[in-house]
Amino acid sequence: MDGRLGVEQPRGETPAFSEAELARDLRNTLLFGGAAVVCFGAMILASGPVLQIPPVPNTLAALSGALVTFGGLIALQSGWSARRVAWSALVAYALIVSVAVHYTGGPLTPMPALYLLVVVAASFILGRRGATLIGAVSVVGYALVLLAEYAGWVDMVLIWRWQFEPGERGLLLIVNWLVVFIATLITAQLAGTLAERLRQTNAQLRESERLRDNLTQMIVHDLRNPLVALMGWLDLLQSQRMQDADGVEQLLLKNARHGGEVLLGMVSELLDISKMEAGKLRLNPQAVDLCALLHETADAMHALGEVEELDLQVVPCDAAVTVTCDRQLISRVLVNLVSNAIKHTPAGGSVTLSVHLQADEVQVRVSDTGIGISAENQARIFEKFAQVQQKGERRGTGLGLTFCKIAMEAHGGRIWVESEVGEGSTFAFTLPR
């Protein structure tokens, strides 16, 4: 494989999770574990009087599970190794389950199924090998519980007032343990294999996405130079031959120039989006009067609004609204939003720009009386290359709103849309004051 694009993943090798991914999944597992502990405690309190389950040891087991949960979350927050925290937490959960199984009736109840939850969690965090080892800890813990009950080292907890003598039911205990052992082992293998396949698929998708982005950037860079040269030759041709050209030639030259500008704009947006996603596009913050910037944008887009027979207006500001931002980026955001509004508003409609002061931010709104955007499409329009085409709309490049979203996030702001089909749209973004 080309070294510029990526490195081929060796066959048969399972890609490892990054520390950040492992920490994220472990954090979610701990939160779910904490929720399970709360449910377990509530179940014990609710059913204890009926089933004659000892409340004190089970409450202690639930508190121990809660301590493991909070301890794991604190350890992750403190920067401990996610893998080390995962091993410690999962082993602790398996041992706590063993204690809870004993004090809730042992082989007389379905409580040993809790081991399967621990094994499934281990499979998605530590892989198949880790799930197998956690499963081994679980079945060994359960074997010790059954052995202690069989030997009479601990008294078996009888529920539903059943009479059961562990010392006289050794074969039954062995069969019960074998069922748990087989179920736990099979679960570890199946869940671990599934987790590893999902991990491989995820790694392949990420690699494909990285290759696509690299290839796109290479093509864009290669396109920019001939496009700039083409625009230069068109400008030269326009300056030297426009006086002698007839109407058809002037129209063809104008259309060619416009097509070149569109292509160059697409290339520039792709390059800027790639830089912003990679964190390589630096902001140039300066004090900017947003009211003045809105008027400048409206003046620049006035001719396009007249061509489309639209009323382009700016709501007057009571006073100057100054924020610190990258003037060029915010100006491009406004141009993108206004051009989109013009493109999707029928003749005779209007586009309105306004600024609204809030407690800790400034909100800019670009409203139109266009055909609107359906609710199911509003969540997609800020995605890269997303082109939501509805009746009466003209197709765009799918990059302008993506650029706006990334630019606003780089400023610590946000952008969203408010729209209903047939009643126009309002694109709003905020900037910190």
Side-chain angles (χ1 to χ4, degrees):
M1 184 177 294
D2 193 337
R4 295 178 299 172
L5 299 180
V7 180
E8 186 175 358
Q9 180 72 31
R11 293 185 178 180
E13 181 178 338
T14 302
F17 278 166
S18 67
E19 182 71 14
E21 291 172 326
L22 185 60
R24 179 198 61 200
D25 292 343
L26 177 58
R27 186 176 293 105
N28 293 334
T29 300
L30 290 173
L31 292 174
F32 284 123
V37 167
V38 172
C39 293
F40 173 75
M43 181 189 69
I44 295 301
L45 292 176
S47 60
V50 178
L51 299 179
Q52 295 183 338
I53 297 176
V56 174
N58 283 290
T59 301
L60 292 176
L63 290 175
S64 300
L67 288 176
V68 171
T69 298
F70 290 119
L73 293 173
I74 293 173
L76 287 177
Q77 190 67 27
S78 302
W80 286 28
S81 168
R83 186 167 295 275
R84 182 178 300 176
V85 175
W87 276 106
S88 302
L90 291 170
V91 170
Y93 279 140
L95 297 178
I96 292 171
V97 167
S98 298
V99 175
V101 164
H102 166 67
Y103 284 106
T104 53
L108 300 180
T109 70
M111 292 298 290
L114 291 176
Y115 289 121
L116 302 182
L117 295 179
V118 179
V119 169
V120 170
S123 66
F124 283 93
I125 297 175
L126 302 174
R128 182 172 54 186
R129 183 177 302 176
T132 303
L133 292 176
I134 294 297
V137 173
S138 300
V139 295
V140 168
Y142 188 49
L144 292 176
V145 169
L146 296 180
L147 177 61
E149 293 175 348
Y150 175 78
W153 300 337
V154 294
D155 294 331
M156 186 173 182
V157 177
L158 300 178
I159 64 173
W160 297 112
R161 298 179 176 85
W162 288 348
Q163 296 300 319
F164 188 89
E165 294 295 334
E168 300 175 0
R169 302 291 182 91
L171 181 60
L172 182 60
L173 295 181
I174 293 175
V175 171
N176 181 272
W177 180 82
L178 285 175
V179 171
V180 174
F181 172 79
I182 293 173
T184 303
L185 181 62
I186 292 177
T187 301
Q189 294 299 310
L190 292 179
T193 300
L194 175 61
E196 290 185 355
R197 288 183 178 178
L198 290 175
R199 187 181 303 181
Q200 289 178 342
T201 302
N202 184 47
Q204 291 171 357
L205 289 175
R206 290 186 177 185
E207 180 67 12
S208 299
E209 184 177 355
R210 190 178 69 84
L211 295 179
R212 184 201 64 189
D213 290 341
N214 289 346
L215 181 60
T216 300
Q217 292 181 22
M218 290 170 56
I219 293 175
V220 168
H221 278 288
D222 290 341
L223 281 175
R224 186 178 181 86
N225 292 335
L227 275 176
V228 172
L230 175 62
M231 296 296 293
W233 286 111
L234 288 175
D235 288 339
L236 180 62
L237 182 61
Q238 185 177 18
S239 63
Q240 294 184 354
R241 298 292 303 275
M242 184 59 74
Q243 295 82 1
D244 301 330
D246 57 25
V248 175
E249 291 176 339
Q250 291 181 4
L251 179 61
L252 292 176
L253 186 58
K254 181 179 179 181
N255 289 339
R257 185 74 169 72
H258 176 70
E261 290 177 348
V262 171
L263 285 175
L264 193 57
M266 292 175 61
V267 169
S268 299
E269 285 183 338
L270 274 172
L271 287 174
D272 289 343
I273 290 174
S274 298
K275 289 180 181 179
M276 297 175 85
E277 288 178 335
K280 296 180 180 179
L281 186 63
R282 295 185 178 181
L283 299 181
N284 181 26
Q286 56 183 299
V288 177
D289 183 351
L290 285 181
C291 294
L293 187 59
L294 259 62
H295 282 283
E296 291 178 13
T297 304
D299 292 340
M301 306 296 292
H302 180 73
L304 180 59
E306 284 190 342
V307 171
E308 299 293 338
E309 300 179 7
L310 300 177
D311 181 21
L312 182 58
Q313 55 186 338
V314 178
V315 176
C317 300
D318 295 333
V321 180
T322 303
V323 297
T324 301
C325 62
D326 188 313
R327 181 184 178 87
Q328 183 178 3
L329 286 183
I330 300 303
S331 176
R332 288 180 59 184
V333 168
L334 285 170
V335 169
N336 275 332
L337 295 181
V338 173
S339 62
N340 277 347
I342 292 175
K343 180 167 58 176
H344 301 309
T345 301
S350 64
V351 178
T352 304
L353 287 72
S354 60
V355 177
H356 305 271
L357 285 174
Q358 297 180 345
D360 55 354
E361 61 185 11
V362 177
Q363 184 180 124
V364 178
R365 300 173 68 87
V366 178
S367 304
D368 63 62
T369 59
I371 60 178
I373 305 171
S374 62
E376 60 270 18
N377 289 330
Q378 290 180 22
R380 295 183 50 220
I381 57 177
F382 293 102
E383 297 175 2
K384 189 189 297 185
F385 301 116
Q387 295 180 333
V388 179
Q389 189 175 21
Q390 301 177 144
K391 185 177 180 181
E393 285 187 327
R394 284 170 284 176
R395 185 174 294 274
T397 64
L399 294 172
L401 291 178
T402 303
F403 170 83
C404 295
K405 180 176 183 293
I406 297 176
M408 298 319 305
E409 291 175 349
H411 282 83
R414 55 195 177 94
I415 186 171
W416 69 95
V417 62
E418 302 167 1
S419 180
E420 290 186 16
V421 176
E423 298 186 9
S425 304
T426 295
F427 282 85
F429 65 84
T430 61
L431 289 170
R433 295 186 66 180

